[in-house]
Structures are given as C-alpha cells and as structure tokens.
Amino acid sequence: MSTEQVPAEGASHPTAEQAITDRVNNRSERPSSDAFKAFMTSGWAPRPDLGVAPLAVAPYSAARRRALSGSFPGARLVVPAGGLKVRSNDCDYRFRPHSAFAHLTGLGTDREPDAVLVLHPVAAGTGDDGGDHHAVLYVRPLASRDTEEFYADARYGEFWVGARPTLDDVSVETGVEARHVDELRDALAKDVGEGGVSLLLVEGADEDIAALVDAIRAEAGLSDAAQTATSDDALTEAVSELRLVKDAHEIEQMQLAVDTTIAGFAEIVRNLRRASGHRRGERVIETTFDAHARLEGNAVGYETIAAAGAHATTLHYTTNDGAVRQGELVLVDAGVEVDSLYTADVTRTLPVDGEFGEVQRRVYQAVLDAADAAFAVARPGSRFRDLHAAAMEVLAARLEEWGMLPVPAAESLSPEGQQHRRWMVHGTSHHLGMDVHDCAQARREMYMDGVLEPGMVFTIEPGLYFKADDTTVPEEYRGIGVRIEDDVLVTEDGNVNLSAALPRTPDGLEEWMRSVRG
Ligand code: GLY
Ligand code: MN
Ligand code: MN
C-alpha cells in the first residue's frame, strides 16, 4: 500500500543525491504520459446522488457555536479538525478529528482531515442565530475527475481513499457554509490587526494551522507572543468547558456508547474460556472487545486494559500479553467510541472462573462500597471533589479495619496523611464525553472545585491495588487489583448510572456471567 503520490515513470531513478524524505515513494512508478492522463480522466459515469441529508446533530452543534460566540465578540475563532498523522513513511494513522471541531460541527468518524471551522466576527447580534459570529467550514472538497488529484494523489485522491464530500454535501449535512480550504489563509487574515479583528486558535489540534495563524499575526504586527498565547488559552479553555454540561443529543450518544460497551463486555465473558486456554489470554479479551468496538462503533475510546491477576495492579496496563488463569480476577477497562465520537469508560473486575474467592470478594465489596458512597453525593449542588472524598472515607476505614494503615483512618484522610492512597493513587472521577478524559482544559474552579449540574457526565471509579511485592499488606491480599467504573449522568435531583445494565455487585456479576455463558 502506498499513501503518497508515486513518482512519475520516466522521472529520474533513485540516486545517492535523492533526498531521504523523497525515498518513501521508491516502490512503484506512475505513468506520466499525456495519453495516460487523458485516459484516466475520461470515461466515468455521472456520480450517483448520494442523498446527503442534514445531520440530526446539526441544531445542537449550531446552539454550541452560538454559546461560544457570546464569549468572544470581535474575535475570529479558529477550530481545526487536525491533519493526517504519519504512522511511518507514507502510511498514516486512521484520522480522528479534534473533539472541539467534532463538537462544534457535528462531524464524527474520520471527518474531515485538514478542515477548519472558523467563526468570523460580525456586528453584534447579526450573526448566526442572532449571535456575534458567522460560521464557515473550510474543507478540502471532492476533486473533479479531470484532475490529477482524482487518480494520482494517494493521500486525498478519490482513487486512493474514496470520494470526499463536495462543499454542498458538507453544507447540507452541517448547516454551515462550506468553502474550499484554499481560501482559508485570506479568510483568516482579513482585517486582523489594524482592522480590529483578533485571531484566536484552539491549541493542540493542528500544528500547520498554528504556524499559519502565527504567520498572519506576525504580518499584522501582532507579535506579542504572551498576549496571543493567553488569547488562545482562553478559547481552548472555553471549548473544553462548553462540554462540561451535555445537551440532549450528547446524553443520547453517551447512552449509546455505554450500551454498546456493555454488549462488548458480554462478548468478553463468552470468550473467557478461550482466553484462559490461550498463552496470551489477555489479548483474547482485548481483541474480542476491540473487534466489537470497531464493528458496532467507530473504535475504542482509549486503549483497552485487560489485566489478569497481578497485572491489575498496574493502573494503565495495556500490554495485555499475559495468561488468564482460573481462580484469578481479570480487570477489564474498556469503552466503545460510537460514530459521533462519544465514548464510554467502563471497568469490571471479573472472576475468571465465574466465582469470587473470599478475599477477592472482600476487596471487591470495599471498592463497591466506596463507589456507592460517591454515587450518594453525585447530585446537583455537590462539588466534583466531594465524589473522591466520599469514596476515600470508605476505603480508608476499610484499610484501617484490615490493619493495613500505619495511622488511624482519620489521620490518613487529612491532607498531611493520605497513606491510604498507596493502594489507590488515581482519582475517583473524571468528566467523560468525546474525550475519555473530557473537558481537560477546563479551569480548576469549573472542574475539580466545580459544582455539579444536571447534564454533567463523569465516571465513578474507585479501586484497590495490592501489588504482589507489597510487604505492607497481608500475603493473602498481594497481587489483587480491583476497580469498578461506571458512567454517571447528573439529573435534576440526583444521578442516573448510565452503565447500570452491567451488574456491579459480586453476586450480580456472578449471576450475569452464568447467564451470558449459558
Ligand atoms: N480508562 C481510563 C480511565 O479510566 O480513566
Ligand atoms: Mn475512567
Ligand atoms: Mn476506565
């Protein structure tokens, strides 16, 4: 497979002078004769009508853009989708747009490399939906069949990667005016600087667009790097905070992601026997879930953790190449990302043979009690940090009871103590959405110190992890790792556990595993 244009036949053959960067195309040669070009660009039937229709998300993404508009009057807001990323030589990774772009356009799956959403400032109240901006999507549209791009451009050409949408298609789907990406530079530069328009960029999405924005600023005499970084930070923070409270469409997509994930956990249980019979049984679990994610959704939302036995005590274990042994637990942390790019993030710790041992059950129950304590405070008016505090109170008390804490639980829970965190060094909750760790650029006062509101979605995921070589715990606990992770929606008067359909009590899990295995 090649993903770059191959050199034309008759072009000079590789020599010692050929630049290293040009050598990725050395495997084949494309004919360059006029006869070939004429033949390639003719003889194609008219394109069928693809029946492109407005996306169901379009009114929601319009409302999100409108909300953003109000915070940045007079500023041109630049939201790149990002570009294709090289995996090696001329092979790219599968494309996934930046979440801010997907959120504000409604485009998901692999759409659209190199596209940029721009909110152009207009006179107050005269913009889209009565806002202060007019949105334009700059995209690389489908090239006509009389162009070389059609058959010769391995990165973007229809012959290589399939037909791209036209400008009209994009506009009909998103409800946003669509223009050719070639117009982007002039559109960004218009009235910047002395014309009174400032340019704000969502950071971390596209280095090429960041360089373009910098160049335009420099040409306009806006070279105060500290000032521009502050402005870009403000926009990056705003698009992240915009996702803290999910709208109805997002909540529906989150539930879809969770339901699809739960079906993936059932697939895992159906394959547990195969896993315990394979030398790399953790890979059986990983690939069972990942295949399901790709079949029923867009992808996994993050690398699947399939951690059997003591591997479960390594928090971000993704090597997944170990054996899955009877009598042990296997911790599975996995989430399906659906086509709209919302992802679930669910963990269950399963007994490989279908039944918890006594110590395993004891540890599991402590983690479950900690999770339930966090659920009990997950309601409007609580602070985000209260979730963690509630879970830690339970775990510290249980660790004290088991004689593991070197100090009383109360002392451990004080800021000066925290000894209980030896066995759970991660946080209890994070916001969840298009990114598994969603809203990560939000301000502390909006996130960790923020007050819970209806529409927020986050995880509750306490755990206990006793490493195999931890001499501070009794031997019977060593090598046991348990995490229980659910996805939670705050409602007007409490919360809904979106992942409640996947049992989470020890008895419930055992019963569910029996019924799934049949
Ligand atoms: N799966 C990553 C996390 O639970 O945060
Ligand atoms: Mn999580
Ligand atoms: Mn997780």
Side-chain angles (χ1 to χ4, degrees):
M1 180 187 69
S2 165
T3 55
E4 279 296 340
Q5 258 177 267
V6 292
E9 196 166 324
S12 59
H13 283 270
T15 67
E17 289 79 44
Q18 186 190 23
I20 286 285
T21 48
D22 291 344
R23 296 183 197 179
V24 293
N25 297 321
N26 280 347
R27 291 176 316 290
S28 64
E29 292 178 342
R30 170 174 51 79
S32 63
S33 69
D34 289 344
F36 175 71
K37 280 185 195 166
F39 193 48
M40 289 302 285
T41 54
S42 63
W44 305 106
R47 295 180 192 282
D49 179 0
L50 298 176
V52 170
L55 299 169
V57 70
Y60 294 94
S61 31
R64 298 166 196 164
R65 293 190 298 273
R66 175 72 184 81
L68 191 63
S69 171
S71 305
F72 296 97
R76 179 166 292 134
L77 312 180
V78 185
V79 188
L84 293 165
K85 284 196 179 62
V86 173
R87 187 177 198 279
S88 66
N89 297 320
D90 56 351
C91 292
D92 294 319
Y93 286 101
R94 182 180 288 122
F95 181 72
R96 182 198 190 274
H98 189 276
S99 295
F101 176 88
H103 187 237
L104 292 166
T105 63
L107 294 172
T109 60
D110 56 357
R111 303 181 64 187
E112 281 296 321
D114 299 340
V116 182
L117 172 71
V118 180
L119 301 192
H120 291 289
V122 295
T126 67
D128 301 341
D129 298 319
D132 301 344
H133 291 82
H134 173 61
V136 178
L137 252 171
Y138 296 86
V139 295
R140 186 187 298 278
L142 181 64
S144 65
R145 286 146 154 181
D146 57 2
T147 61
E148 276 201 38
E149 177 181 317
F150 168 55
Y151 66 91
D153 187 328
R155 222 173 184 192
Y156 298 105
E158 185 175 346
F159 244 71
W160 297 82
V161 294
R164 307 168 59 78
T166 64
L167 293 177
D168 275 352
D169 291 343
V170 171
S171 189
V172 167
E173 285 181 286
T174 62
V176 177
E177 179 185 349
R179 304 191 75 87
H180 198 294
V181 75
D182 288 351
E183 298 178 28
L184 179 67
R185 190 184 211 291
D186 289 347
L188 290 185
K190 190 167 182 302
D191 297 330
V192 168
E194 289 190 354
V197 170
S198 57
L199 209 47
L200 272 57
L201 173 72
V202 171
E203 297 160 308
D206 190 321
E207 285 176 13
D208 292 343
I209 300 297
L212 176 64
V213 165
D214 278 347
I216 291 169
R217 283 172 175 156
E219 280 165 24
L222 302 173
S223 47
D224 181 342
Q227 173 56 41
T228 54
T230 306
S231 311
D232 289 348
D233 285 355
L235 178 60
T236 306
E237 177 183 286
V239 295
S240 197
E241 291 180 358
L242 196 57
R243 305 205 302 270
L244 280 167
V245 173
K246 270 63 179 172
D247 61 35
H249 187 268
E250 295 182 284
I251 291 166
E252 176 202 297
Q253 292 298 305
M254 288 300 307
Q255 186 68 68
L256 176 65
V258 169
D259 292 347
T260 313
T261 295
I262 292 174
F265 273 80
E267 278 297 300
I268 288 172
V269 168
R270 282 184 206 105
N271 282 275
L272 262 186
R273 265 191 208 106
R274 185 162 70 90
S276 51
H278 194 285
R279 74 185 195 292
R280 300 209 290 183
E282 292 172 342
R283 285 288 165 91
V284 173
I285 293 173
E286 174 195 313
T287 55
T288 298
F289 188 86
D290 291 11
H292 173 82
R294 190 71 188 136
L295 280 171
E296 304 301 331
N298 186 52
V300 288
Y302 53 92
E303 295 300 321
T304 297
I305 297 173
H311 287 159
T313 67
T314 301
L315 300 177
H316 286 173
Y317 175 82
T318 53
T319 311
N320 300 343
D321 63 355
V324 173
R325 297 185 184 84
Q326 299 292 320
E328 290 187 338
L329 301 177
V330 60
L331 183 158
V332 183
D333 183 341
V336 174
E337 175 190 84
V338 290
D339 287 350
S340 55
L341 304 182
Y342 289 87
T343 187
D345 180 11
V346 172
T347 306
R348 287 294 182 269
T349 307
L350 307 168
V352 174
D353 54 21
E355 281 183 32
F356 287 93
E358 194 218 316
V359 182
Q360 293 168 346
R361 186 176 274 260
R362 196 184 306 151
V363 176
Y364 191 99
Q365 190 62 48
V367 175
L368 185 62
D369 292 346
D372 287 347
F375 268 97
V377 296
R379 58 171 180 267
S382 294
R383 290 196 182 273
F384 189 81
R385 59 170 61 261
D386 297 340
L387 301 163
H388 181 66
M392 290 309 97
E393 265 193 42
V394 172
L395 290 188
R398 209 60 55 89
L399 290 160
E400 178 181 51
E401 200 180 294
W402 295 339
M404 294 182 193
L405 273 185
V407 295
E411 186 179 334
S412 185
L413 286 165
S414 72
E416 297 73 31
Q418 298 292 307
Q419 289 86 343
H420 59 282
R421 296 292 299 280
R422 176 183 177 103
W423 300 288
M424 182 185 144
V425 294
H426 63 76
T428 300
S429 295
H430 57 79
H431 279 270
L432 181 66
M434 281 191 173
D435 291 336
V436 61
H437 296 164
D438 212 34
C439 313
Q441 286 74 35
R443 286 164 291 173
R444 174 163 273 267
E445 61 265 35
M446 300 292 287
Y447 199 130
M448 191 54 80
D449 296 333
V451 175
L452 302 188
E453 288 178 46
M456 288 183 167
V457 176
F458 46 74
T459 64
I460 291 182
E461 52 173 310
L464 280 174
Y465 314 90
F466 300 114
K467 292 209 171 279
D469 56 357
D470 187 344
T471 58
T472 71
V473 302
E475 222 168 301
E476 60 181 357
Y477 289 92
R478 295 181 198 167
I480 294 180
V482 172
R483 177 163 65 255
I484 307 168
E485 179 171 24
D486 285 285
D487 301 341
V488 185
L489 166 69
V490 178
T491 57
E492 293 295 333
D493 55 0
N495 67 71
V496 171
N497 180 1
L498 300 177
S499 43
L502 188 55
R504 47 196 289 283
T505 64
D507 288 348
L509 260 187
E510 288 177 354
E511 169 59 29
W512 174 76
M513 288 178 74
R514 272 195 294 278
S515 71
V516 170
R517 278 171 156 164

